[in-house]
Amino acid sequence: MSTMLVTGGAGFIGANFVRLTIERGAADHVVVLDKLTYAGRRDNLAGLDASAVEFVEGDVCDAGLVSSLVARADTVVHFAAESHNDNSLRDPSPFIHTNILGTYTLLEAVRAHDRYLHHISTDEVFGDLGPGDPRFTETTAYAPSSPYSASKASSDHLVRAWVRSFGVRATISNCSNNYGPYQHIEKFIPRQITNILDRRTPKLYGTGEQIRDWIHVDDHNDAVLAILSRGRSGETYNIGSDGEATNRTVIELICDLMGAEGYEHVADRPGHDQRYAMDASKLRTELGWSPRYTGDLRAGLADTIAWYRDNEAWWRPIKDAVEAGYAKRGQ
Ligand code: NAD
Ligand code: TDX
């Protein structure tokens, strides 16, 4: 029987990953380790068979707990992180704790028990691009700009060092901006969808000319499963689905799909990265991966809007507090 340990499995991407893993039969048993911070919710895993998915509440920096869970697993997939740039600008400390110390703790456990680790990272480690620059590849130099992206870059470096110095078996993936069900409403796309559902005006930072490379969360997770089954240890894979769009285009698309009139420009993010764009050729050619949504943002957004419309009970209790936090910063 195969057992997979998934850290951060009660968060947005992790919970979708656990669902896909069970649906595909990619593991017989999944153990989720999650601290249930403001971003993690047990009900993100609701409806899954309790005999297939076991939940452990705890911190990925707790070396004793992590060691005991890693010992029981064949494979470890590491999603747990503080993930929101805006929060890292207000208080970097949990980003340093979880993203750096948490990855270190996990690496020491997989080293001790000789287990395979897949580390989930982000395109932001490469910094940002100008409008005409070539997209990020796996060999682009790291140049993170925010406390969040610097902490993720640090964690990637730790993984590479443990592979090289200690022979740990590990892979890394760096993915572009995700969207889809269960994404916290602090993030751009669900914030605008729930603003419209709540009769609030959508909020665009600055001019909205920044570019993000959007991928549906199921395409991200499908790529992770491809790396787990066919990836080579020690390698890094970029994940993206050719979904580049300006923030202004995305907000206008959401307004159009939801029949909403207009949006407002609010205070910009300090140090705001201009453009992210992923070249995922290595994943496509070496592992034969291709995305289902193929950069079709309109179709993916329509599905996502339907999910937030149908699951108001999931986001409604936190909406006022999230918006009050943004309002304090003029956003
Ligand atoms: P999220 O914030 O929705 O979820 C993070 C989860 O980690 C939560 O369930 C939280 O409770 C848990 N967690 C936080 N600190 C923990 C700790 N110390 N111990 C155990 N659990 C802890 O984040 P997400 O958007 O699902 O991102 C998941 C991963 O994917 C992160 O590593 C992130 O850097 C990466 N990533 C995200 C995106 C994106 O667009 N959201 C893109 C590329 C990569
Ligand atoms: O209300 C908003 N208005 C707005 O214009 C918010 C919340 C954001 N924005 C802009 C800022 C960004 O240019 O939208 C873009 C996307 O913002 P976020 O959803 O905060 O994502 P980003 O900062 O790009 O980072 C995301 O992608 C990479 C994830 O949050 C990270 O975890 C991941 O690593």
Side-chain angles (χ1 to χ4, degrees):
M1 191 171 101
S2 62
T3 297
M4 188 189 281
L5 173 64
V6 179
T7 72
F12 161 48
I13 306 175
N16 280 288
F17 178 78
V18 172
R19 290 178 182 280
L20 194 67
T21 297
I22 294 297
E23 190 185 308
R24 298 261 181 94
D28 301 312
H29 190 67
V30 175
V31 179
V32 170
L33 170 64
D34 198 295
K35 191 179 177 182
L36 298 181
T37 66
Y38 80 96
R41 290 167 61 158
R42 277 227 58 169
D43 65 359
N44 288 353
L45 298 167
L48 290 169
D49 179 356
S51 64
V53 180
E54 179 185 338
F55 184 79
V56 178
E57 184 175 344
D59 193 327
V60 70
C61 302
D62 178 341
L65 175 63
V66 166
S67 175
S68 68
L69 296 176
V70 166
R72 290 171 50 204
D74 307 290
T75 302
V76 181
V77 186
H78 179 35
F79 290 92
E82 286 292 332
S83 68
H84 194 36
N85 272 299
D86 290 326
N87 294 345
S88 81
L89 297 168
R90 277 181 299 147
D91 179 11
S93 62
F95 291 76
I96 305 305
H97 173 83
T98 293
N99 301 3
I100 303 179
L101 202 56
T103 304
Y104 160 73
T105 305
L106 208 50
L107 280 165
E108 284 293 77
V110 296
R111 172 157 86 109
H113 298 288
D114 188 21
R115 298 296 192 267
Y116 166 69
L117 169 72
H118 181 71
H119 175 61
I120 303 290
S121 193
T122 172
D123 55 2
E124 298 193 19
V125 298
F126 301 118
D128 64 352
L129 298 166
D133 290 342
R135 299 185 296 176
F136 300 129
T137 69
E138 288 80 1
T139 56
T140 302
Y142 275 33
S145 337
S146 73
Y148 163 67
S149 52
S151 68
K152 292 296 291 187
S154 307
S155 66
D156 294 10
H157 288 316
L158 292 177
V159 175
R160 293 216 177 97
W162 261 242
V163 168
R164 171 98 182 239
S165 303
F166 304 122
V168 159
R169 293 177 290 128
T171 40
I172 300 175
S173 55
N174 295 82
C175 188
S176 61
N177 280 64
N178 284 223
Y179 69 95
Y182 301 102
Q183 186 168 30
H184 196 284
I185 59 168
E186 67 188 353
K187 302 287 184 356
F188 179 51
I189 286 177
R191 183 179 182 210
Q192 311 318 327
I193 294 172
T194 54
N195 275 345
I196 295 169
L197 292 174
D198 204 21
R199 300 189 190 292
R200 297 172 195 252
T201 312
K203 307 281 193 291
L204 188 63
Y205 289 179
T207 60
E209 291 309 315
Q210 292 79 15
I211 292 170
R212 295 293 180 266
D213 187 354
W214 293 100
I215 183 170
H216 192 279
V217 64
D218 287 342
D219 281 332
H220 178 182
N221 285 329
D222 179 56
V224 173
L225 288 176
I227 295 166
L228 291 182
S229 69
R230 304 190 291 285
R232 284 179 294 136
S233 180
E235 293 291 315
T236 288
Y237 299 89
N238 277 1
I239 304 175
S241 65
D242 306 331
E244 278 189 75
T246 64
N247 293 337
R248 186 173 348 164
T249 303
V250 173
I251 213 166
E252 286 175 358
L253 196 48
I254 294 171
C255 288
D256 183 41
L257 284 163
M258 299 183 73
E261 297 250 326
Y263 52 88
E264 66 180 291
H265 295 269
V266 294
D268 207 349
R269 172 183 287 171
H272 202 168
D273 279 343
Q274 187 55 41
R275 173 180 168 232
Y276 305 140
M278 280 310 230
D279 180 342
S281 319
K282 177 176 171 181
L283 185 69
R284 287 172 183 261
T285 53
E286 283 188 20
L287 304 189
W289 177 81
S290 61
R292 181 162 71 96
Y293 284 91
T294 53
D296 183 356
L297 198 53
R298 195 177 178 92
L301 279 178
D303 289 354
T304 306
I305 291 166
W307 190 86
Y308 283 91
R309 212 188 279 283
D310 293 345
N311 290 277
E312 188 171 334
W314 184 86
W315 57 267
R316 168 67 62 197
I318 58 170
K319 183 66 182 168
D320 285 347
V322 170
E323 289 308 314
Y326 276 120
K328 258 194 250 160
R329 303 194 298 276
Q331 293 179 318

